[in-house]
Amino acid sequence: DPLCKNGSLHFGISETTLQKTVKAATGKTFFEYVEDLRLEKAYSLLKNSDMTINSIAAECGFSSTNSFYKAFKEDISIRPAC
């Protein structure tokens, strides 16, 4: 995962150490934690901005609008709408 690799380089630790540290602190995998942060930001933008879904997906680091829809739907069981 490039994001995990970048994070480990940023903190000067191995990817394994970063993953274990995140899991110990949050109870979530690194990927789950990052996706939760992305979704939190997306919820805020949906509520407080007039940005399009495509713009919000890109701003929050989702690789595509489809991956954003999927993550959003899995998190709260509905599709996002502005």
Side-chain angles (χ1 to χ4, degrees), residues 19-59:
Q19 292 170 343
K20 287 180 180 179
T21 302
V22 169
K23 181 74 170 182
T26 67
K28 299 175 183 179
T29 67
F30 180 81
F31 178 78
E32 291 169 336
Y33 179 68
V34 169
E35 188 162 277
D36 283 353
L37 293 176
R38 288 176 174 161
L39 286 169
E40 268 184 43
K41 184 175 182 179
Y43 296 142
S44 177
L45 291 172
L46 283 166
K47 185 177 178 181
N48 301 311
S49 80
D50 59 357
M51 293 172 67
T52 66
I53 298 289
N54 291 343
S55 296
I56 291 171
E59 176 73 21

Side-chain angles (χ1 to χ4, degrees), residues 9-20:
L9 290 172
H10 176 78
F11 291 110
I13 58 177
S14 71
E15 289 180 56
T16 301
T17 300
L18 178 60
Q19 292 170 343
K20 287 180 180 179

